Amino acid sequence: MPAGADHRLCIRPRGVLRGAVLTLVFTGVLATAAATGALPRQGAGAGSSDAARTDTVDRAALNRAAAAAMADGKSGKQAAEDFVSRSGDRWGAVYDKKEYADFEQALDGAYTGVGLSAGRAAEGGGVKVTRVQSGGPAERAGLRAGDRLVSVDGRPVGALSVSEVVSLLRGDGVPGSAVVLRVERGRAVWTETLLRARLATDPVSVRRLDDGAVLIKVAAFTKGAGSRVRDAVRDAPAGAGVLLDLRGNSGGLVAEAAVAASAFLDGGLVATYDVEGEQRAVYADGGGDTGRPLVALIDGGTMSAAELLTGALQDRGRAVTVGSRTFGKGSVQMPSALPDGSVAELTVGHYRTPAGHAVDGRGITPDLAAGEKAEERARTVLSGLGGGS
């Protein structure tokens, strides 16, 4: 049930030699995270001129503030949110236990729901179905894109936000639990009872273009996405160019982005980052295809792990980047458990591209700027590199 467009992102390092997990927890724009229904409030936007500063939060002081609030009978989570808000950490976030568990599940490329995406209806307001996942409960019940949702479990949804509707569809996130939908299609209105199920998402799609090139679209770097990219490159016909579409990719697992980089690089540096002053690095595995023509499509929705991959391919001269400046999310967060069981994600550092360029608040500028016809222009560039007929 992906929906909404909430842009708060967090990067959580868990060690980082080859294959190690450096996690970017993300919400909203990443469909699988929105699908959990645990949609947090929107974080601050990118573009600040002070991107290079380390907006760190005193984690011990944060825990004391939460503990003191609980001792006074107040919400420890709310106290933590207030503390982070005052700290100046524009990417800091606080999640309750369930929200955090939902995000962890989303990063595994799965969610519990009915298998539909919701969006705001352009005509007449309300909420409509924008996509139905193949094999999910919604498809089996005959729902399809364009249907309007009238109510969820008896609650009218016309005046609700998409995020609120997604939360209702999500419910408690228990597989097998029932949700009753009132659905409208044209003049027909009916009630459908669906049983929520644990569903897998597919963030990578691959297709051959009419000129022989291969288009690999990566919507998010959830678990397994990097291997899917690597397999797609290995399976591509000899000499065929690759158009790597990272537009709208809001990040995910940095380890998966590193695997994707390994599809095009023969080892070497992907990015560097610091954690509370300690310098670390992310590397690609050896054996990638370094000769196949490659163009990467990027835009303002290209974030975090996707920016890390973009920076590596651009700095190392492996790809021509086409599109518009990326979002600019390159700060590192680490989780801190609070006394009430909630979790705070706090900024501890920033990452840089192989050439040492900071990403946070700045983004990555493409080699070739392109607007609405970015894909057409990218295909022209790819053809010029010998990647299409």
Side-chain angles (χ1 to χ4, degrees):
M1 298 169 292
D6 198 339
H7 294 197
R8 190 170 65 194
L9 310 166
C10 306
I11 310 175
R12 300 191 292 110
R14 297 180 178 179
V16 77
L17 295 176
R18 282 183 175 86
V21 179
L22 174 60
T23 306
L24 285 75
V25 180
F26 48 95
T27 60
V29 183
L30 172 59
T32 54
T36 66
L39 298 175
R41 287 179 288 277
Q42 184 161 332
S48 172
S49 61
D50 59 356
R53 73 173 191 244
T54 304
D55 298 323
T56 57
V57 175
D58 184 334
R59 285 186 280 176
L62 175 64
N63 273 275
R64 289 195 297 270
M70 292 174 65
D72 289 340
K74 301 176 183 178
S75 168
K77 178 174 181 286
Q78 183 61 56
E81 288 177 338
D82 292 343
F83 189 98
V84 172
S85 177
R86 292 193 303 269
S87 73
D89 184 349
R90 63 196 181 109
W91 295 116
V94 182
Y95 306 92
D96 64 32
K97 198 175 210 177
K98 179 177 178 299
E99 288 173 339
Y100 202 70
D102 285 339
F103 293 143
E104 293 282 88
Q105 183 187 66
L107 285 169
D108 283 337
Y111 68 98
T112 299
V114 298
L116 63 80
S117 299
R120 180 62 55 189
E123 298 179 3
V127 175
K128 69 175 181 179
V129 176
T130 58
R131 185 180 67 84
V132 177
Q133 183 169 336
S134 177
E139 185 192 54
R140 292 195 297 270
L143 272 66
R144 59 189 190 219
D147 290 345
R148 287 178 179 268
L149 297 180
V150 179
S151 66
V152 177
D153 283 338
R155 183 175 178 181
V157 301
L160 300 182
S161 68
V162 171
S163 296
E164 289 172 318
V165 174
V166 168
S167 185
L168 290 175
L169 291 169
R170 168 74 170 95
D172 292 330
V174 178
S177 60
V179 58
V180 180
L181 307 184
R182 187 71 171 165
V183 185
E184 177 183 295
R185 181 185 300 161
R187 295 183 178 180
V189 182
W190 74 98
T191 298
E192 198 74 54
T193 299
L194 306 179
L195 299 182
R196 298 181 179 95
R198 184 172 170 84
L199 302 169
T201 59
D202 188 0
V204 180
S205 60
V206 183
R207 66 184 175 92
R208 288 288 301 277
L209 301 176
D210 53 15
D211 62 0
V214 177
L215 173 63
I216 303 175
K217 168 70 176 176
V218 188
F221 284 108
T222 52
K223 190 174 181 179
S227 295
R228 288 285 310 279
V229 172
R230 186 175 56 196
D231 292 345
V233 174
R234 288 175 177 171
D235 294 342
V242 170
L243 184 58
L244 181 64
D245 191 350
L246 299 175
R247 293 174 299 178
N249 183 318
S250 55
L253 297 163
V254 168
E256 296 296 336
V259 173
S262 300
F264 305 103
L265 301 170
D266 187 14
L269 188 63
V270 173
T272 60
Y273 67 102
D274 60 279
V275 175
E276 297 177 333
E278 181 183 349
Q279 299 301 308
R280 306 184 187 184
V282 182
Y283 295 93
D285 291 327
D289 188 332
T290 60
R292 189 183 297 276
L294 175 64
V295 172
L297 267 169
I298 57 175
D299 67 3
T302 304
M303 305 178 185
S304 301
E307 290 178 285
L308 183 149
L309 174 58
T310 300
L313 296 176
Q314 185 184 62
D315 280 5
R316 297 185 57 183
R318 183 60 188 90
V320 177
T321 53
V322 177
S324 54
R325 184 187 294 269
T326 62
F327 186 80
K329 171 65 176 72
S331 58
V332 181
Q333 280 77 43
M334 292 185 72
S336 181
L338 300 176
D340 63 354
S342 56
V343 177
E345 293 276 358
L346 307 174
T347 298
V348 295
H350 298 83
Y351 75 74
R352 294 177 179 270
T353 68
H357 301 304
V359 174
D360 201 51
R362 295 182 172 94
I364 295 173
T365 302
D367 300 312
L368 183 62
E372 294 181 359
K373 296 185 178 181
E375 183 172 333
E376 179 182 328
R377 196 160 192 188
R379 292 177 65 171
T380 300
V381 172
L382 187 60
S383 178
L385 294 173
S389 57

